[in-house]
Amino acid sequence: MTIDWWTLGFQTVNVLILIWLLGRFFFKPLSRMIAERKEAAADMLAEAEAAHRNAEEALEGIAATRAGFAEEREALLRKARGEAETLRQEMLEAAKAEAEKRLAAAETEIAHKAGAERAALQAEAARLAVEIAQRLLARLHGAKAMEVFLDDLLKAVAALPSAERRTIAANGAHFTAVSSAPLDQQEQTRCRDRLAEILGRQPAIEFQSDPSLIAGLELKGEHLTVENSWRADLETIRRELGHERNP
Amino acid sequence: MTAPLTTEPLFTFGPVSISAPVVVTWALMAFLLAGSVLATRRLSLKPSTLQAALEMVVETIDGQIRDIMQAEPGPYRAFIGTLFIYILLANWSSLMPGVEPPTAHLETDAALALLVFLAVILFGIRANGPLGYLKSFAAPTVLMIPLNLVETITRSLSLVVRLFGNVMSGVFVIGIVLSLAGLFVPIPLMALDLLTGAVQAYIFAVLAAVFIAGTISEGRPHAAENLQTSERKTP
């Protein structure tokens, strides 16, 4: 057995060179790539961890914000409910006051309107009554009607106290007899005679006619006025109705 | 067939004789260099199938170094990894017709063992300093210095003999069978020789790592125990 020292030397150098070559061109690039991949993976994991941590923090923030929103929402709702209740009460009171005010105004207006309408109706009724009476009495002109009015006139004068009758019939007393229609001579004589019976002396009477009396016979003197006509009666009724309307 | 224990020169340059193992080694070096350059010129973070396979090889070697040496594999990766890859390819080069594995010659195995011997010294000095490395021979007692010195030599010799004996015997047996039987008869033996070659490459690399780890782990009792355990298990 012999050793070829040249071969031993060459092989030693060859393997040394091969160690350098593989270390330079094989192991170093691959190990660097492995290290870079591990580093990249570690960076990605760190980034993922950081992102996960950020996401958790964001979720916690969102949860806190949501909780704050809920509390704020509850507070706002309570405040809004309170304000709405207050506003509702104020509106109700205002509406109630306005309604009462309008009701009072309406009642007043209704009362005024009702009074005015009632007055107008009464006036119209009175006017119609007068007109009706005028139309009816227009057909009653005659001796009998005048006789009735003359009786009523004499009764009114006779109802006066005797002292007052004597004063009325003092010397120089002058009377005016107004009838709704002109009296003929006979009626004038009878009126003068019957009045003389009551007064105790023959009075001086001037006879006149006034259609506005409607019907009747009135006597006017210096100290005496006897309204004995339908115009006077209707006027009295109208005044009484007016008193009832305006108590 | 040439005698297995002799190395005949293929050609000479003056006094320098170039033998077949040297030429085959040069061819393997060219192949490995070309393959490395081609395989690593387009590396990316998203690896191709080839890149993934090569990275798996590197990570496997790193894992073995990390397990055996209890240290980061960076400083030792190129040495241990190159030993494994070169011995593996050298053993498997017998599949090429007319090629005899360089490791079937004593000079190649001796060169590899010499490199391991020098690497143990170099890494030991770098890890513990010159004095610390020398002190490692006096562990656990001064009385162990002769035995440790002898062990340093003998374990290197054991590397040579183990690798040479296994590879040379395989080549020798295949040659004998091929000369006696038909063309296809040695195929099972060649397959067995492939397995033997891979196992021997692995053993050589692991033992180199164990020897280096034993030197750099002085002062680390647990690592030393682990290393002794690993060496006892080695065939």
Side-chain angles (χ1 to χ4, degrees), chain B residues 76-101:
Chain B
Y76 318 104
R77 181 188 299 119
F79 183 71
I80 304 295
T82 302
L83 285 179
F84 173 73
I85 292 172
Y86 170 69
I87 295 171
L88 180 67
L89 288 182
N91 292 343
W92 285 1
S93 65
S94 63
L95 294 177
M96 300 290 290
V99 176
E100 192 173 353

Side-chain angles (χ1 to χ4, degrees), chain B residues 153-174:
Chain B
I153 304 298
T154 55
R155 70 186 182 186
S156 298
L157 289 176
S158 72
L159 285 176
V160 178
V161 172
R162 183 184 299 109
L163 181 60
F164 173 69
N166 280 282
V167 178
M168 181 273 294
S169 61
V171 172
F172 195 64
V173 168
I174 289 173

Side-chain angles (χ1 to χ4, degrees), chain B residues 17 44 67 87 108 130 138 140 144 158 172 181 202 214 222 227:
Chain B
S17 62
S44 68
D67 292 341
I87 295 171
T108 303
M144 295 295 291
S158 72
F172 195 64
Y202 176 75
H222 297 294
L227 292 174

Side-chain angles (χ1 to χ4, degrees), chain A residues 1-4 6-8 10-12 14-19 22-23 25-27 29-31 33-34 37, chain B residues 15-16 18-19 21-22 25-26 33 36 40 44-45 47 51 55 59 77 79 81-82 86 106-108 111 115:
Chain A
M1 175 179 173
T2 58
I3 298 292
D4 183 0
W6 284 109
T7 301
L8 176 61
F10 272 120
Q11 291 296 70
T12 304
N14 285 341
V15 175
L16 274 177
I17 293 172
L18 185 62
I19 289 169
L22 289 186
F25 294 104
F26 182 76
F27 290 108
L30 286 171
S31 60
M33 184 54 59
I34 292 170
R37 185 178 295 110
Chain B
V16 179
I18 306 299
S19 59
V22 174
T25 299
W26 285 345
L33 177 62
S36 299
T40 60
S44 68
L45 290 177
Q51 181 182 341
E55 287 182 1
E59 287 190 329
R77 181 188 299 119
F79 183 71
T82 302
Y86 170 69
L106 195 60
E107 290 82 359
T108 303
L115 288 175

